Amino acid sequence: MALDAERLRATIELVTDLPTLPVVVARITNQIANPSTNAADIGRLIERDQALTSKVLRLVNSAYYGFPKQIKSIQHAVVILGFNKVKTIVITASVFGAFKADHGSGIDLRRFWQHSLGVAIASKVAAEQIGVGHVAEDAFIGGLLHDIGKVVMDQYQPNIYGPIVKYANDKGILLLEAEKEVMGLDHTTVGQWVLERWRLPASIVNMVGDHHSPNTTTERRELVTAIHLGDIFARALGIGSGGDSRMPTIDSGIASAHSITADFFDLTLGRIIDEVGKASDFFRLITSG
């Protein structure tokens, strides 16, 4: 029998130690939307959090970005990388530090983050491949957060979620299917609740909520499509683990609309492999605390 969705949401809302993102994340998101914002404004916001500043500078100077000279200040990073890429790095650094490996029972957290970063990279590449490269950074963020509901359920409702992970793997079905069968809802809905609590923009909340059903989305379909594809591409390459061993199929409408042929698939996977190869140092830094 499925659980009551409202009762489950209330239970999660009452979790007092559910991680929060630094206040600076919401402020940066709002500030970037202001056309009068400049690099100094963003730099000052980030520099209010010394730990975040240190991690962002380590990531900016990682081999993933490949700058020949060291970037020594956040303001310089904003000038070189641009507002959106710095926002992506700030959100990435904040999310990866929000959960602890010794919590939970069904999800291997390190492999989960490998999968999440893999989907982020794959979603960015997919956005470029389907001709919407101007939203590639947003696609990266959506890909990074697409399964956040899984880790929240695993760490804060392990008595419910651990058995669901086991059930999905025993039956050889997607976690999505097992979640709906047992809970009456799935990780996309839980993820939306968490992102709303984190005060992330509605566009990101929507991306996470609709990535398994891109043809039903009512907002920024190109982004949802990129994440839908990124998840499948990352799974096809076996990057980390989202908690189950099955691979969802590409939505038939998306495949038709974007001419996703075998050649498209092979070319895109090749680009993703190259990008993931460059990101090993980035992943090491992002998970090092």
Side-chain angles (χ1 to χ4, degrees), residues 130-270:
I130 63 174
V132 291
H134 60 287
V135 298
E137 289 303 321
D138 285 342
F140 185 102
I141 293 171
L144 181 77
L145 297 173
H146 77 292
D147 274 350
I148 199 72
K150 290 181 181 178
V151 74
V152 168
M153 285 296 296
D154 187 54
Q155 295 213 346
Y156 295 94
Q157 293 290 315
N159 58 318
I160 296 173
Y161 205 67
I164 290 175
V165 174
K166 184 177 186 304
Y167 177 73
N169 286 300
D170 287 348
K171 295 290 185 179
I173 61 176
L174 289 168
L175 255 175
L176 181 79
E177 296 166 340
E179 291 162 350
K180 288 179 177 177
E181 187 175 329
V182 176
M183 298 192 299
L185 50 84
D186 59 62
H187 61 273
T188 64
T189 300
V190 176
Q192 287 180 302
W193 297 343
V194 174
L195 299 187
E196 287 169 354
R197 185 164 169 175
W198 283 349
R199 296 185 180 180
L200 289 180
S203 59
I204 295 177
V205 176
N206 178 70
M207 284 188 279
V208 169
D210 290 346
H211 74 272
H212 283 295
S213 52
N215 271 325
T216 65
T217 191
T218 58
E219 183 182 347
R220 303 193 73 180
R221 180 168 293 182
E222 74 280 8
L223 279 174
V224 178
T225 296
I227 297 157
H228 175 74
L229 293 173
D231 184 26
I232 292 170
F233 291 151
R235 284 173 176 260
L237 291 169
I239 303 171
S241 173
D244 57 32
S245 57
R246 289 289 304 280
M247 188 172 81
T249 56
I250 295 176
D251 182 278
S252 59
I254 295 301
S256 175
H258 296 283
S259 302
I260 299 178
T261 61
D263 286 344
F264 176 97
F265 205 90
D266 290 344
L267 178 62
T268 305
L269 290 184

Side-chain angles (χ1 to χ4, degrees), residues 31-65:
Q31 194 80 13
I32 287 174
N34 184 341
S36 65
T37 296
N38 57 43
D41 295 330
I42 300 299
R44 282 192 292 269
L45 275 176
I46 297 172
E47 286 166 355
R48 292 176 185 174
D49 186 324
Q50 291 185 352
L52 183 60
T53 296
S54 176
K55 177 162 271 191
V56 168
L57 286 175
R58 290 203 307 273
L59 294 173
V60 166
N61 287 297
S62 71
Y64 183 59
Y65 291 104

Side-chain angles (χ1 to χ4, degrees), residues 81-153:
L81 293 172
F83 291 168
N84 285 329
K85 197 175 291 291
V86 169
K87 179 184 73 173
T88 296
I89 294 171
V90 168
I91 291 175
T92 302
S94 301
V95 169
F96 269 68
F99 299 93
K100 298 178 181 178
D102 58 352
H103 285 45
S105 61
I107 299 287
D108 180 326
L109 192 60
R110 184 173 181 82
R111 295 193 70 211
F112 174 84
W113 287 132
Q114 286 175 328
H115 171 69
S116 298
L117 183 59
V119 174
I121 292 169
S123 298
K124 181 177 178 179
V125 171
E128 294 165 350
Q129 291 293 103
I130 63 174
V132 291
H134 60 287
V135 298
E137 289 303 321
D138 285 342
F140 185 102
I141 293 171
L144 181 77
L145 297 173
H146 77 292
D147 274 350
I148 199 72
K150 290 181 181 178
V151 74
V152 168
M153 285 296 296

